[in-house]
């Protein structure tokens, strides 16, 4: 129901059930306003044209044309939120900290790295993505984004047999690994295979030195305020939001 027309339902104090049905039909289908004749409206609501004319008069209009004109005026009003007199609520302190963390991450995402990623997206058509634990969720997110762009993208994780990767790796040109620690055994195993068969290896990890970063042809380091990834993996930090923001930025630049 379009709330902008809903007020009409309260204007007819003595509407019959048939008249109410006509009015309800228009509030449920506002695109009909101005695009339907009185006869067509009567047929759609199983009433006579005389019933519709009586409804218009009960609502205070001289006829169907004036009634429709009034409906158009109601629909042209864009709902808005009235400005608040008081000042904006104070943002939590963590918001400022998260912004600072984002800025730190993007200092490491150099223009050269962004251009490299854009080139991969333009020149390559098939991508194999891998992630474990929470990282799988973000690898899956990037997989879906690549698929929307028309790329062939496949997602795998520790729950899949190693043979799935071995059987399919040769069909893909780029291996993208998402690993917060950069030390997950299953991820390193797949990255090594990808490296050996000539796939381009792209890695998203935390900024501290790690094995996966050293294996990658293109490495994106993300700021992680957790002191130790293993001890605080379940904690809420800006790492994951950094990761999504970075992925979207890279895709936007590559396709813009």
């Amino acid at each position: 129901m379009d709330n902008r027309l809903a007020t009409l339902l309260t204007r007819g104090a003595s509407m019959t059930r048939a008249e109410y049905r006509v009015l309800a039909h228009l509030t449920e289908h506002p695109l009909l306003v101005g695009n339907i004749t009185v006869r067509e409206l009567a047929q759609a609501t199983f009433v006579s044209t005389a019933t519709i004319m009586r409804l218009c008069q009960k609502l205070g209009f001289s006829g169907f044309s004036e009634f429709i004109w009034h409906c158009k005026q109601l629909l042209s009003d864009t709902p808005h939120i009235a400005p608040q007199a008081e000042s904006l609520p104070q943002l939590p302190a963590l918001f400022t900290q998260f912004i600072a963390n984002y800025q730190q991450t993007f200092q490491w995402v150099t223009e050269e790295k962004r251009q490299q990623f854009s080139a991969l997206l333009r020149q390559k058509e098939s991508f194999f993505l891998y992630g474990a634990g929470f990282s799988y969720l973000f690898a899956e997110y990037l997989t879906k984004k690549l698929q929307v762009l028309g790329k062939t993208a496949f997602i795998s994780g520790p729950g899949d047999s190693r043979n799935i990767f071995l059987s399919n790796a040769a069909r893909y040109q780029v291996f993208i690994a998402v690993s917060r620690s950069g030390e997950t055994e299953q991820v390193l195993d797949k990255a090594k295979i990808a490296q050996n068969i000539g796939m381009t290896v792209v890695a998203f990890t935390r900024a501290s030195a790690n094995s996966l970063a050293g294996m990658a042809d293109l490495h994106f380091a993300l700021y992680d305020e957790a002191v130790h990834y293993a001890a605080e993996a379940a904690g809420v930090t800006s790492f994951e939001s950094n990761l999504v923001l970075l992925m979207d930025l890279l895709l936007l630049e590559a396709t813009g």
Side-chain angles (χ1 to χ4, degrees), residues 13 25 47 49 81-82 90 93 101 103 113 133 163 171 215 231 243:
H25 185 74
V47 301
T49 56
I81 300 175
Q90 186 175 0
N101 294 345
Q103 292 173 332
K113 288 186 175 185
N163 288 331
R171 298 164 47 196
M215 298 168 61
L243 183 55

Side-chain angles (χ1 to χ4, degrees), residues 2-5 70-80:
D2 195 306
N3 290 333
R4 291 169 294 179
L5 294 179
H70 180 74
C71 289
K72 286 182 177 179
Q73 295 301 113
L74 291 177
L75 290 171
S76 68
D77 293 335
T78 303
H80 65 279

Side-chain angles (χ1 to χ4, degrees), residues 51-64:
T51 297
I52 296 177
M53 298 308 296
R54 283 195 299 271
L55 169 65
C56 294
Q57 292 170 359
K58 284 184 179 181
L59 293 174
F61 304 109
S62 60
F64 185 70

Side-chain angles (χ1 to χ4, degrees), residues 1 18 30 46-48 66 116 155 164 170 189 252:
M1 177 182 292
F46 307 102
V47 301
S48 66
E66 185 180 357
Q116 283 182 268
I155 175 71
I164 290 180
D189 177 47
L252 185 61

